[in-house]
Amino acid sequence: MSEEFIRLSHVSKIYNAHQDNEVRANDDLNFNIKRGELTVIVGSSGAGKSTLLNTLGGMDSVSEGEVWVNGIDIAKFSEKKKNDLPSKRYWLCVSVL
């Protein structure tokens, strides 16, 4: 199970960019997840966990960086193509404790 399934490279999600109320929900994220690997995302309220999961699920776009899922950079996808992604390419399993 050493095959890379998810890779984030310099991913940032910036709301209200270049404004006084700019918010960086995710700032320069870099990590890999191998196929079949169990990964836990933890953080305080407002840390960007939901933004990250929405990005991986194709429901949110990134401001900067690359989001590779199963060998495809979904950060470059149009909204239509991202909407088709979860049902055709991969599954994300999320458990909220």
Side-chain angles (χ1 to χ4, degrees):
M1 281 194 262
S2 62
E3 182 183 343
E4 182 180 87
F5 185 60
I6 293 173
R7 177 169 51 95
L8 272 66
S9 179
H10 301 287
V11 169
S12 295
K13 177 62 177 181
I14 306 166
Y15 296 97
N16 304 318
H18 312 295
Q19 297 180 25
D20 290 339
N21 59 343
E22 177 178 288
V23 175
R24 292 180 170 266
N26 297 130
D27 193 15
D28 198 28
L29 296 180
N30 296 282
F31 66 85
N32 302 319
I33 300 174
K34 296 177 183 174
R35 185 176 300 282
E37 183 176 39
L38 175 64
T39 304
V40 178
I41 300 169
V42 296
S44 60
S45 177
K49 301 175 300 293
S50 295
T51 301
L52 172 60
L53 292 174
N54 288 339
T55 298
L56 291 174
M59 296 172 282
D60 206 350
S61 59
V62 296
S63 303
E64 302 167 353
E66 300 175 345
V67 180
W68 292 84
V69 178
N70 205 20
I72 301 167
D73 183 3
I74 67 169
K76 294 180 174 43
F77 278 14
S78 67
E79 289 302 314
K80 164 115 177 60
K81 200 165 185 180
K82 280 193 286 188
N83 288 338
D84 293 340
L85 216 155
S87 62
K88 304 229 189 249
R89 295 280 181 192
Y90 66 98
W91 286 86
L92 288 178
C93 180
V94 178
S95 176
V96 178
L97 302 176

